[in-house]
Amino acid sequence: MTHHGGSTAGSRFCAAALIGLWGWLAGGTARAAPRPCGSGDAREGDGCVEACPLPAASGARPSEQFLAKLRALPSVGYHVMVNPGPWGATALSELRVASIPFGKERAARWRQNGLWAGPCAGLAAAFQSTAVGDRDARKVVDVYELRYAAETSARRVAALLASSWDWNGHPSVVVRRGLSVIVAEGRYGAWSALETVGGHFGGTVAPRNGPTPLALCDKRSKRQPLFQADGLRLHVLGFAPSGELAWLAAGAAPAGGTLWTLHVTNLVNDREIAARTYHTAGSTPDAFCAEHRVDAGLLLAERGVSSADFSAFDKADVDGGPLTLSIQRASASGEAIVMEGAPGTKVLGRLPASVTEARTLGFIRSPFEERVAVLVVTKDAATGRLAARVLGGRLDKRWMARR
């Protein structure tokens, strides 16, 4: 299948997206055309289309990582369908992709500061290729590279595409590599092809509406806790686009074994919005995962949390300067957790009077917005036991000027 002329690239991508939309449009909707995803009228079971023109940059080309994977497709029994251009991948003049379905809850996850910021937000270039089975030409997987201007944009879009977007109503695999987001789109009846090609690009097929896979349970990840001392261990599981952090605290259970508490904290108001407690005889991540990975993964999926492998605290900065944390005595209201940076200072929260000791551990930066989660460990005056608190802080607003 050969195409002539670079102008057909956007048309080909549009056609692929619209083929995926056909069943939705034929299913009784009265709209003359699919609605834009940011229109604000999402309904359960409905779908939408994200569309944007892309700059005609003559020097734009796929990343070397993407091209290397295309060249290596024969190693897994696939080859690249003939494409115009020298790379085996077509530069697109327009991104046009549907999410089917796309209800209100998932649509809300894509908003930043109340405004729609879909897959087009921050997109600098896009490329498309098609992998075809060597032995069976019906095994076809379309593969896209979405190139973003900033890594934070790529990280955000990759997490949301994996958790809150149904790519053209087809099963898909999403992988991020630096500034690029790779999407492998399967076709109906070609599930094994998607597993093979998606795995070749470094991803896996996650079941729709299933539990979020936990990085903590992946033996290839760095599963050491972010903090461990005096019987308390802390693991961070992931962020949600709505400004939430999921984290896991582990300690000795009163009757023996290990008590694990999975917390979901709203970083906007620092309130705990979900908590679930588990018990295991063993003390390792393997013990937790063997018994509770599905239930924990379902809770993360319900909250839209994208699991990630957190192995260290971030070196956070704002406006080119470093951020610092301190615990300061306030005149009448006890001790306050204060964040300081080039724009000024910000009080993140205050400690209760029952706390005799406290220390700040560090920052973890959200991939979805200009927000950090701050972990604080405290010691209770009555029991002497350690506990953890999570506080959220915006980096782009509400700073107080230094006096």
Side-chain angles (χ1 to χ4, degrees):
M1 183 175 178
T2 304
H3 297 271
H4 301 281
S7 63
T8 62
S11 299
R12 182 179 180 188
F13 189 64
C14 293
L18 291 175
I19 288 172
L21 283 168
W22 186 87
W24 168 48
L25 293 173
T29 180
R31 289 185 178 86
R35 65 178 179 82
C37 290
S39 60
D41 60 345
R43 293 191 297 271
E44 204 61 43
D46 207 349
C48 66
V49 170
E50 173 85 342
C52 60
L54 293 168
S58 58
R61 57 169 288 157
S63 69
E64 187 52 43
Q65 285 183 323
F66 185 62
L67 294 178
K69 289 294 186 181
L70 292 179
R71 289 192 292 266
L73 276 171
S75 66
V76 293
Y78 284 78
H79 62 274
V80 174
M81 183 181 288
V82 177
N83 282 279
W87 312 307
T90 301
L92 303 178
S93 60
E94 181 186 40
L95 174 68
R96 185 175 178 85
V97 61
S99 182
I100 311 169
F102 198 59
K104 290 183 178 179
E105 181 181 353
R106 289 193 170 190
R109 296 174 185 173
W110 283 89
R111 295 189 174 275
Q112 279 190 314
N113 297 325
L115 301 176
W116 172 256
C120 283
L123 186 66
F127 308 90
Q128 183 266 335
S129 187
T130 302
V132 183
D134 292 340
R135 295 184 178 181
D136 186 351
R138 293 171 298 179
K139 292 185 175 181
V140 177
V141 177
D142 293 307
V143 187
Y144 307 92
E145 179 181 24
L146 310 182
R147 179 84 55 74
Y148 288 86
E151 191 168 325
T152 52
S153 298
R155 193 163 57 236
R156 171 183 175 271
V157 170
L160 284 165
L161 286 177
S163 65
S164 308
W165 190 275
D166 289 299
W167 188 276
N168 288 332
H170 294 163
S172 62
V173 172
V174 180
V175 180
R176 186 184 70 84
R177 293 289 182 267
L179 296 172
S180 296
V181 178
I182 311 300
V183 181
E185 177 189 356
R187 298 188 182 180
Y188 295 114
W191 185 265
S192 63
L194 177 62
E195 288 184 318
T196 299
V197 175
H200 175 70
F201 280 87
T204 58
V205 182
R208 288 189 182 181
N209 303 317
T212 297
L214 303 181
L216 178 70
C217 299
D218 184 350
K219 293 186 178 181
R220 299 168 298 178
S221 69
K222 299 176 181 178
R223 303 194 294 172
Q224 294 299 315
L226 276 180
F227 172 82
Q228 182 172 358
D230 297 333
L232 176 66
R233 285 175 288 144
L234 301 177
H235 297 268
V236 171
L237 302 181
F239 284 88
S242 52
E244 298 168 7
L245 180 79
W247 53 287
L248 190 67
T258 303
L259 195 65
W260 308 77
T261 305
L262 196 166
H263 305 263
V264 181
T265 301
N266 185 327
L267 299 175
V268 178
N269 56 23
D270 300 333
R271 294 177 181 173
E272 186 167 87
I273 55 178
R276 198 163 293 175
T277 301
Y278 308 94
H279 182 271
T280 60
S283 61
T284 65
D286 286 336
F288 174 83
C289 295
E291 298 182 48
H292 305 299
R293 66 190 302 171
V294 172
D295 187 78
L298 287 172
L299 177 59
L300 265 60
E302 178 185 322
R303 303 304 313 175
V305 173
S306 298
S307 180
D309 185 9
F310 293 93
S311 58
F313 289 101
D314 290 326
K315 294 181 180 178
D317 61 80
V318 62
D319 290 350
L323 291 174
T324 60
L325 289 170
S326 62
I327 300 176
Q328 300 179 9
R329 170 66 61 180
S331 56
S333 54
E335 294 182 318
I337 309 298
V338 179
M339 181 167 64
E340 297 184 71
T345 65
K346 182 179 296 192
V347 175
L348 301 181
R350 302 186 186 279
L351 298 176
S354 60
V355 170
T356 56
E357 296 180 29
R359 59 170 159 157
T360 59
L361 299 182
F363 302 95
I364 301 176
R365 194 160 189 161
S366 169
F368 300 109
E369 56 186 341
E370 290 299 304
R371 191 186 302 276
V372 291
V374 173
L375 275 68
V376 181
V377 170
T378 63
K379 178 180 283 189
D380 187 87
T383 65
R385 299 188 64 176
L386 296 186
R389 291 186 63 188
V390 170
L391 304 171
R394 291 295 300 240
L395 300 180
D396 55 350
K397 60 178 71 174
R398 302 190 185 96
W399 290 91
M400 297 179 61
R402 291 187 179 87
R403 294 179 180 176

